[in-house]
Amino acid sequence: MKNCVIWGTGKIGSSQVLKDILEQKYHIQAYCDSNPKKAGKKLNMLDIISAEEIREYLLRHSVSSLFIAVADKSAIESIRDRIRENHIEDIEVIDLYGAEMDELENCYLSKEHERLKNRWEINFEECSRTWVKNLLSEVEYWIESYSKNKGAFIKTYLQNEDFTAYSPEYEKFSEKLKSEDVVLDIGSGITSKFGCITKRGCRVRVDAVDPLAYYYNQFLPENTPDHKKCHFGLFEFIADFYPEGSADGIVINNALDHCIDPFKSIVECLYILKENGHMCTLHRRAEAVYEKYTGLHRWNMDYNSMDHFIIWNQEHSIDVTKALEEIADVMISHSEESVPREKQTVMVTFKKKRKFNLDRFIDMPNERYHLAGLLEQLMKYFAEADTAYIYQQLQQLAR
């Protein structure tokens, strides 16, 4: 085991899963942080040392490796510069995006698979509370993205015509669409990344759907046509927003890991899909682990040894392919583990076989209580939390 110090005490640095991943190979001795006010405190029962003390600490404790636990790549470079300025030599410096972390994370995923139990008993109230608490982190993400390039990416999204313009992986899905088909992009973000014309020239209607629609529409120019704006909808209750069998196709792009209950969300989506219709989902493999369970990243879209589509986290797991085999054909493709973790993907296409009753998969008597509880959590959060900073940032972007 190599002695290691983690530089960074934020959400990623402090996460238990990062600690678990690193401890497969490293003995973590302490944390370091650029903020001098954190020095002398404890994190995960280990000391936090200041950046000024780091050189002496590494030498005194025979530390061979320094792990930079921040997600911002510019911040990583800044910390690396600081390490060089302190003349810290013969120290292995590792960050979240290198080959060393990829190898450790792949190994961690294999071990987690061995421990998975097929148990899906979601505490909807508890998961709702976590979801509401982290909901605005997505708005913050888009504000940061907007600020970096002055909203140029929005113009690109709005001008999309070719349905596969964003991800060529969706080309096979788009080939199944006919003219006038209705496609829902659920969990779309600011606006759908997809256009309305397929490779074969079929013009379809693509509706962007997201629970943060009213925030996201504030990013858009005033003259944005309605069909390019985002519509409000909740994944877990999407059957309350759209009639049974009303969608010809559904796309979900890296969004299921944000859900309160991703399996329930899939079932609800299949319910509003037409018979023989297709739903196509594309996710980074095990996104929650990759993001260290920060923000809304709570679930891992993954595959097992039988190449079945599975969803899991540290407490729950379900073989989706098996659970839905009576109502849907589930086809999965994924990248190899040799691909860098950042680029590992899992693509799943569902073909709806037949109509079904929601109560086969969902506890319908408790459905309205779950929805009422979620609404209460939202009202409580926005009444008690300080969200003025989000409004102020949105106003600044509009100027």
Side-chain angles (χ1 to χ4, degrees), residues 263-264 267 323-327 356-364:
F263 179 69
K264 182 179 189 296
V267 170
L324 298 178
E325 61 186 354
E326 291 185 18
I327 63 167
F356 62 93
N357 294 324
L358 280 173
D359 58 11
R360 284 190 60 188
F361 302 95
I362 296 171
D363 183 0
M364 297 306 294

Side-chain angles (χ1 to χ4, degrees), residues 124 234-240 261 264 268 358 361-374:
F124 200 87
L234 293 167
F235 248 129
E236 290 78 6
F237 301 95
I238 203 68
D240 294 320
D261 183 339
K264 182 179 189 296
E268 295 249 343
L358 280 173
F361 302 95
I362 296 171
D363 183 0
M364 297 306 294
N366 281 324
E367 180 82 342
R368 62 175 183 165
Y369 295 109
H370 289 157
L371 180 55
L374 175 58

